[in-house]
Amino acid sequence: MDMDWWVWLIIVVVVIAVLVGGFVAVQAKRRSGGVIISDRNRKRGGGA
Amino acid sequence: MSTLIRASALAKLPVVTFAGEDIAQLKDIVYAANGGQIGAFTLAGRGIFAGPLKTSLPWAAVVGLGPDAVIIESEEVLQPTSDVIGSAGDGATGGGDILKSEVLTDTGTSLGRVVDVIIGIGGGGRDQADVVGYEIEPAESLGRGKQHLLIPLPDTLAASGEHLMVPASASDYLTDDLSAFGTAVDAFRSQLAGGR
Amino acid sequence: MLFSQAQGRRVVSTADADTVGLIDGYVIDPTRQQVVALNLKKTAGSGDVLPWPDLLAFGDDAVTVERSTVVVEADERIAELSGKHHTILRKQVLTTSGQQIGKVQDVDFDPADGRILTLILDNQVQVAGTNLLGVGSYAVVVRS
């Protein structure tokens, strides 16, 4: 009743692929840039 | 005339010290709501395993910014991120990432959503960098098709993480050509100054 | 004199006229814009570094030293400067305005005192040695 060895092989490969893909996606998100408005210097009528 | 570049061209530029070490790469561009002046860059580490850094690079410490790298004197010029951008980083109050924000005119028309930001470097006597325009994906109501458009900004602007306000007359200076955009910004700003 | 011209040149001790080694590389201190030592190959002992102050002369056919014992093992500073991260040849050159202007192909130095005169890049661009700021793992940085 044991499953064939290759079934397990495929499961392991798929799990690794998902983990690697997830890691790459998370890293891309963490490292990606944006444009942020700083509200620290928000003053009115500072003269342009 | 100052050099115009897209914010997306700056993302991931390596930050290199005088000693020739690439200690970080650019992540976010932090700019002031009034004046559009770039105040700092947040940083991420180099290499795929590195995440965002806890230190940021104040604009005043940038020695040179070119197509291939940002040059700084040494690692010591970096400042803790919290000192540099205050609360803007968490996106809670007014600040936050403006990419995908909606651009509204002061007459309440939506022009579209921001896909990139145009930065002008130098040209103003002392070397400084300002946000001079937005690149937008035009709203359908504008009837300008799908092609991205560039909006010049006034010297002062109101912006939140949600909405970016521009004067209605900015829509007269929409262009799709970055090389002609510098002239559009100048024309737009002098028109605003004249109307005052 | 160019690095490439002096590569493989004999180093001869004047005390016994023996060849103590052949020039295999150059150790640069970029902050002083100086060659501070030579790396040698085919040396007799375990040392393979010849500090610049121990040179008698950098001649056209040979480099002379007083005796073979001036060839030593790298001290901490020279070891740091001669690491792979600090080699200058074939490394990209960035100006302080953030522009890549080429790769270092050769270096012209003053054989009298080891001063770096000119960096010669692969695209024939030349950079004065006095503009050299640093040599690191990522790039050679020069003043623009």
Side-chain angles (χ1 to χ4, degrees):
Chain A
M1 76 160 278
D2 254 358
M3 277 196 269
D4 283 329
W5 63 272
W6 56 266
V7 176
W8 293 106
L9 182 69
I10 288 173
I11 291 172
V12 168
V13 167
V14 166
V15 167
I16 289 174
V18 167
L19 287 179
V20 169
F23 173 78
V24 168
V26 167
Q27 276 302 90
K29 177 103 180 119
R30 283 177 65 198
R31 295 164 55 75
S32 71
V35 181
I36 296 175
I37 298 175
S38 162
D39 53 358
R40 297 185 92 208
N41 317 320
R42 185 175 284 193
K43 299 174 213 126
R44 292 284 156 178
Chain B
M1 186 59 227
S2 57
T3 323
L4 298 181
I5 38 171
R6 289 187 166 85
S8 57
L10 295 181
K12 302 196 168 61
L13 267 189
V15 176
V16 181
T17 62
F18 278 4
E21 303 293 335
D22 54 336
I23 56 168
Q25 64 184 35
L26 297 188
K27 187 173 177 295
D28 305 296
I29 295 159
V30 184
Y31 76 99
N34 64 320
Q37 195 177 337
I38 293 190
F41 299 104
T42 69
L43 304 172
R46 297 287 279 165
I48 177 74
F49 295 103
L53 299 186
K54 290 195 173 65
T55 49
S56 291
L57 171 59
W59 174 259
V62 172
V63 176
L65 190 161
D68 304 302
V70 179
I71 309 289
I72 63 171
E73 215 168 298
S74 74
E75 203 161 352
E76 273 132 54
V77 304
L78 302 185
Q79 305 279 331
T81 299
S82 51
D83 288 4
V84 173
I85 63 173
S87 61
D90 55 27
T93 53
D97 197 343
I98 64 158
L99 296 183
K100 298 199 177 70
S101 294
E102 191 174 27
V103 179
L104 281 178
T105 66
D106 50 8
T107 53
T109 316
S110 169
L111 295 178
R113 290 192 177 275
V114 177
V115 291
D116 211 337
V117 174
I118 311 297
I119 295 161
I121 295 178
R126 196 174 74 79
D127 229 18
Q128 68 169 42
D130 288 289
V131 170
V132 296
Y134 300 133
E135 180 164 15
I136 58 161
E137 191 181 79
E140 274 179 36
S141 56
L142 224 54
R144 296 280 294 248
K146 286 274 175 218
Q147 195 173 13
H148 291 172
L149 295 175
L150 302 167
I151 308 180
L153 294 184
D155 281 340
T156 51
L157 60 142
S160 70
E162 227 182 324
H163 292 124
L164 303 168
M165 303 301 303
V166 296
S169 55
S171 53
D172 296 339
Y173 294 91
L174 289 174
T175 166
D176 51 16
D177 179 12
L178 185 60
S179 57
F181 187 61
T183 333
V185 173
D186 290 344
F188 174 58
R189 288 188 175 177
S190 59
Q191 179 242 331
L192 283 183
R196 240 168 238 165
Chain C
M1 190 177 296
L2 297 177
F3 275 11
S4 59
Q5 285 173 334
Q7 183 74 24
R9 190 163 297 180
R10 292 187 306 260
V11 178
V12 179
S13 110
T14 55
D16 52 15
D18 277 344
T19 299
V20 298
L22 304 178
I23 297 179
D24 190 35
Y26 307 83
V27 182
I28 290 175
D29 184 341
T31 57
R32 288 167 52 210
Q33 295 137 11
Q34 280 269 335
V35 179
V36 291
L38 302 175
N39 290 121
L40 304 185
K41 60 185 175 187
K42 304 205 173 135
T43 55
S46 61
D48 60 355
V49 170
L50 172 56
W52 189 275
D54 293 326
L55 293 184
L56 287 180
F58 207 114
D60 282 341
D61 301 299
V63 174
T64 53
V65 295
E66 206 163 319
R67 53 179 56 82
S68 59
T69 52
V70 298
V71 178
V72 293
E73 290 187 40
D75 65 24
E76 204 174 305
R77 211 176 78 81
I78 288 179
E80 199 207 311
L81 288 174
S82 57
K84 186 164 64 97
H85 288 336
H86 297 280
T87 55
I88 191 168
L89 294 178
R90 286 178 296 282
K91 195 162 279 169
Q92 64 166 339
V93 180
L94 289 175
T95 68
T96 47
S97 53
Q99 199 164 13
Q100 205 248 56
I101 54 171
K103 282 185 180 162
V104 179
Q105 191 172 53
D106 215 335
V107 176
D108 188 22
F109 66 102
D110 187 339
D113 56 10
R115 227 165 9 106
I116 292 172
L117 302 174
T118 317
L119 307 183
I120 296 153
L121 311 191
D122 53 357
N123 47 14
Q124 309 311 317
V125 171
Q126 302 204 352
V127 179
T130 49
N131 286 334
L132 180 63
L133 286 172
V135 180
S137 58
Y138 186 74
V140 176
V141 179
V142 299
R143 215 172 270 120
S144 55

